[in-house]
Amino acid sequence: MVPSSVGGDAPIAELVPHIRLRGVSKVLRTERGAEITALTGIDLDIDNGSFVAVVGPSGCGKTTLLNQIAGLAEPTEGEISVRGRPVRGPGRDRGMVFQADALFFWRTVRRNVEYGLETQGLPRAERKEYAEKYLKLVGLMEFADLYPKELSGGMKKRCQIATVLANSPEVLLMDEPFGALDYPTKCQLQEQLLNILAREPKATVFVTHDIEEALFLADRIVVMGKGSIRRIVDVPFTKPRASDLRVDAKFAEQKAELWRALEGWLTAADETADA
Amino acid sequence: MSDLRGLRHGSGNRLTGLLVAAVLVAGWWLAAWSVADPSGRSSPLLPSPADVFEAIPRLSVFAGPGTPQTFGNAFWVLLVNTVASATTLFGGLLCGGALGIGLGLVLGWNARLRRMFEGPFLVVRVIPLFALLPLFLSWFGGARIGSVSFVAFAVFSMLFVNTLEAIRNVDPVARVFARTLGASPLRVYRTVVIPAIVPELAGGLRVVLGLAWAILLAAEFLAAQSGIGRIMILAQQYFDLSRMILIVLLIMLYTYALDQVVSVCVARITRWVPRI
Ligand SMILES: Nc1ncnc2c1ncn2[C@@H]1O[C@H](COP(=O)(O)OP(=O)(O)OP(=O)(O)O)[C@@H](O)[C@H]1O
Ligand SMILES: [Mg+2]
C-alpha cells in the first residue's frame, strides 16, 4: 500500500519495470469517419531506471504513444507489456503527466496532490507528509490551499507533476511537462526530476520539443516522425548529471550535431515514406 | 482592484434595485389615485398601497368565519398557510430531487445502461407539465399528497435530464487522470464525476426551484385545502383585490428570499469553478 520508495533510499529489487512495445500501431478515427494512422510498427524497450526522451514534430504521434503505454487506448495492432504483463487499461503503476490540464478543480492544490495517496488508502498524516514533500519540490507549498483556478498555467502544470510524482509510479510518462515554464524553473525542475529518479529508479518516457532538455535528461532520445521511430540516439553523458553540464562544450557540440541531423532524418524518411 | 470594482458593482446593483422598486410603488400609487372616484375612495379594481396595508387584518377571515380581524390573527393565517406551502414545496423538491438525481446517477454510471433507459425516461421531457395537473387532481383530489407528487414529478423530470447532461459534460481528462493515479471506475465516479457535476446541478436546481414554486401555486389554486395559493383563490372569491395584491407581494417576497438563499449557497459550492 505504501509507495515503495518515498522516504526509502534503496531501490527495491522486485520493482523492475520494463516497458516493451512490439509492432505497435494505432489507427484513430475522426468524427467524420476518416482514419488517421497515428502510430505504425513501433518497437521499443525501456529498462527500469532508464530515461527515454521522445522528440518529433507536432502531430507525429507522441501523445498517442504515451496513451497506449498508459493503457488509455488499446493499440490497433501490436503488444505492449510492462514488467512482462500485457497492458490492459490504466493503472497506478504507470503515472502520466498529461499535455492538457489534468486537475481536480474542486480540490485545493494540496488535495489534488493527495488524490493518488487517498486512493492507496494512506492515513491522513502520511498523505500530508508526502503531499508537502512534492509540493515543496515543485515550489507550490505556499499555494497549497488555493484552488487550481487560482494558479497560472505553469503552476497548474507543476501541480499535476506533483500529483503524479507523489503517487510514486513505477513507470513515468510525461507529455511536455515543462513546456509551459520559464527557463530557470524548467532547469530547476529538470534537476529535481533527475534527483528523484536517482533515488527511485523508474522507467521514464518524456515527450519534449526541447532538444537541450532531451539531452540533459535522457539516456536515449527517440526521434519520431509521422507515426514511426526514425532514429534512436544514445546520449553519451553519464549520470548523475550536474547542472553545469548545460554549459559544457561537449554538451553544446552534441546539441548542435543533433540539430543538424534531425531535419535530415525526418525529411529523408518522409520522402521514402511518401514515395 | 478587482475586489473594489466588485463591491462597487454590488452596491450599485442594490441601489438600482431599490430605485426601481420605489419608482414602481410610486407608479402604482399614481395609477390608483388617477382611477379613484372624486370622493377619494379608490376603485375596487386598483387599490392603492394604503388600501392594501389596511386589508391586512381582513386576512384573519381565512382562519374561519367569525375570527376577529386583527393583525395578530392575520399573521397567524399567513404563517399557517406558508408552512403548508413550504412543506409541499420542500417535500416535492426532496422526493423529486432525490429520485431525479439518483436515477440520473445510476444511469450515468454506465453507457450501456444509459442507452437502454435514457430514451424511455426522456419522454418526461415532452410531457406538458401543466396539462398533467387535472390528472393529478383526479388521482389525489384536494389532498396535499396530490400537490406534493405533482411538484415532485416536475422536479424529477427536470433534474433527471439535468443530471445526465451534467455527467456527459464532465472533463474526460480528469476522469482519465484519476484512473492513471490508480482509482477504480467506481472511485472515479464517486470522487471525480460527482463533484464535477455539482455546479451544473446547482444551476439546474436554481431554475427548478423557481419553477417548482410556480407549479405549487398552480396546484394550490386548483385544489388544496390550505397554502398560499389557496388563500389567493379565497381572496378572489371575495373579489377583494387588496388582499389578492397582498398575497402577490408576499409571494414576491418569498421568491426573492428563496433565490437569495439559494444563490448564496450555490456561490459557496461552486467557488472552485474556473471563470474567465
Ligand atoms: N482523438 C483523436 N481522433 C482522431 N485523430 C486524432 C485524435 N487525437 C489525435 N489524433 C491524430 O493523431 C495524430 C497524432 O496526434 P498526437 O496527439 O499523438 O500528436 P503529438 O505528437 O502528441 O503532437 P504535439 O506535439 O502537437 O502534441 C495527429 O495526426 C492527430 O490528428
Ligand atoms: Mg502531444
Side-chain angles (χ1 to χ4, degrees), chain B residues 176-215:
Chain B
V176 158
F177 187 44
R179 295 279 286 131
T180 64
L181 290 170
S184 65
L186 188 65
R187 198 185 179 85
V188 172
Y189 204 60
R190 198 162 55 73
T191 60
V192 176
V193 175
I194 291 178
I197 63 174
V198 166
E200 211 174 316
L201 280 190
L205 198 67
R206 204 170 161 182
V207 174
V208 164
L209 204 64
L211 257 151
W213 186 215
I215 284 165

Side-chain angles (χ1 to χ4, degrees), chain A residues 28-31 34 36-39 56-65 67 99 175-176 207 209 224:
Chain A
L28 292 164
R29 194 171 269 284
T30 65
E31 293 293 340
I36 293 180
T37 306
L39 295 174
S58 175
C60 71
K62 305 181 293 297
T63 299
T64 310
L65 179 68
N67 285 344
Q99 196 172 6
D175 203 344
E176 297 181 37
V207 171
H209 285 294
M224 277 183 71

Side-chain angles (χ1 to χ4, degrees), chain B residues 48-166:
Chain B
S48 73
D51 296 323
V52 169
F53 180 76
E54 280 161 19
I56 294 176
R58 292 211 297 278
L59 289 171
S60 316
V61 185
F62 302 141
T67 314
Q69 296 191 2
T70 63
F71 275 94
N73 285 337
F75 178 73
W76 180 247
V77 164
L78 290 181
L79 185 70
V80 168
N81 287 288
T82 300
V83 168
S85 288
T87 316
T88 316
L89 180 70
F90 290 112
L93 272 171
L94 219 67
C95 299
L99 261 164
I101 296 176
L103 193 65
L105 284 178
V106 170
L107 292 194
W109 162 250
N110 180 301
R112 272 240 311 280
L113 210 65
R114 193 166 55 223
R115 272 195 296 277
M116 248 158 67
F117 290 99
E118 196 175 27
F121 275 113
L122 284 185
V123 168
V124 297
R125 249 185 185 164
V126 294
I127 295 177
L129 267 181
F130 285 99
L132 280 190
L133 198 46
L135 271 177
F136 274 77
L137 288 184
S138 316
W139 290 330
F140 298 100
R144 190 137 289 270
I145 181 81
S147 352
V148 175
S149 349
F150 187 61
V151 171
F153 177 78
V155 170
F156 163 80
S157 62
M158 288 183 278
L159 284 185
F160 171 64
V161 174
N162 194 223
T163 306
L164 280 182
E165 197 59 37

Side-chain angles (χ1 to χ4, degrees), chain A residues 115-189:
Chain A
Y115 187 91
L117 306 170
E118 268 171 44
T119 304
Q120 293 172 49
L122 281 199
R124 183 187 294 263
E126 268 171 88
R127 269 186 347 232
K128 188 167 151 60
E129 187 187 326
Y130 290 142
E132 290 190 351
K133 173 177 165 188
Y134 288 97
L135 280 169
K136 277 184 198 129
L137 192 93
V138 299
L140 284 182
M141 194 53 218
E142 55 180 307
F143 305 101
D145 297 310
L146 296 189
Y147 282 102
K149 72 163 183 182
E150 292 152 341
L151 302 181
S152 73
M155 286 157 86
K156 284 195 190 97
K157 194 82 299 148
R158 284 187 276 152
C159 175
Q160 203 198 142
I161 294 167
T163 309
V164 173
L165 289 180
N167 206 29
S168 44
E170 297 163 19
V171 169
L172 191 55
L173 308 167
M174 302 180 100
D175 203 344
E176 297 181 37
F178 304 148
L181 301 176
D182 62 287
Y183 189 75
T185 310
K186 190 176 185 165
C187 293
Q188 197 188 335
L189 283 177

Side-chain angles (χ1 to χ4, degrees), chain A residues 41-269:
Chain A
I42 303 278
D43 293 320
L44 190 62
D45 283 328
I46 305 164
D47 287 327
N48 188 27
S50 153
F51 195 121
V52 167
V54 179
V55 300
S58 175
C60 71
K62 305 181 293 297
T63 299
T64 310
L65 179 68
L66 290 196
N67 285 344
Q68 311 302 307
I69 302 174
L72 302 178
E74 227 168 278
T76 315
E77 262 173 65
E79 250 317 301
I80 302 178
S81 58
V82 170
R83 286 212 287 153
R85 281 195 309 269
V87 167
R88 298 273 175 272
R92 145 162 149 70
D93 56 327
R94 282 153 290 135
M96 171 131 154
V97 176
F98 288 75
Q99 196 172 6
D101 278 344
L103 295 136
F104 307 115
F105 281 91
W106 50 92
R107 288 173 167 239
T108 58
V109 169
R110 176 196 301 281
R111 300 251 299 127
N112 263 271
V113 178
E114 285 182 8
Y115 187 91
L117 306 170
E118 268 171 44
T119 304
Q120 293 172 49
L122 281 199
R124 183 187 294 263
E126 268 171 88
R127 269 186 347 232
K128 188 167 151 60
E129 187 187 326
Y130 290 142
E132 290 190 351
K133 173 177 165 188
Y134 288 97
L135 280 169
K136 277 184 198 129
L137 192 93
V138 299
L140 284 182
M141 194 53 218
E142 55 180 307
F143 305 101
D145 297 310
L146 296 189
Y147 282 102
K149 72 163 183 182
E150 292 152 341
L151 302 181
S152 73
M155 286 157 86
K156 284 195 190 97
K157 194 82 299 148
R158 284 187 276 152
C159 175
Q160 203 198 142
I161 294 167
T163 309
V164 173
L165 289 180
N167 206 29
S168 44
E170 297 163 19
V171 169
L172 191 55
L173 308 167
M174 302 180 100
D175 203 344
E176 297 181 37
F178 304 148
L181 301 176
D182 62 287
Y183 189 75
T185 310
K186 190 176 185 165
C187 293
Q188 197 188 335
L189 283 177
Q190 286 168 359
E191 283 149 35
Q192 276 160 346
L193 180 62
L194 286 186
N195 285 339
I196 292 175
L197 292 173
R199 268 181 287 133
E200 315 167 15
K202 305 172 193 300
T204 309
V205 185
F206 187 106
V207 171
T208 178
H209 285 294
D210 181 344
I211 298 283
E212 183 185 320
E213 180 169 67
L215 269 176
F216 184 72
L217 292 172
D219 305 311
R220 281 183 301 160
I221 299 176
V222 169
V223 181
M224 277 183 71
K226 292 198 178 162
S228 58
I229 295 178
R230 296 291 156 87
R231 266 292 198 294
I232 298 182
V233 180
D234 283 311
V235 178
F237 312 113
T238 53
K239 286 192 170 166
R241 294 178 191 163
S243 79
D244 46 10
L245 175 64
R246 293 179 209 280
V247 289
D248 199 297
K250 287 204 289 289
F251 190 79
E253 204 175 289
Q254 278 290 322
K255 190 176 152 189
E257 207 172 296
L258 201 55
W259 255 124
R260 277 194 300 275
L262 212 52
E263 210 189 325
W265 293 335
L266 290 171
T267 48

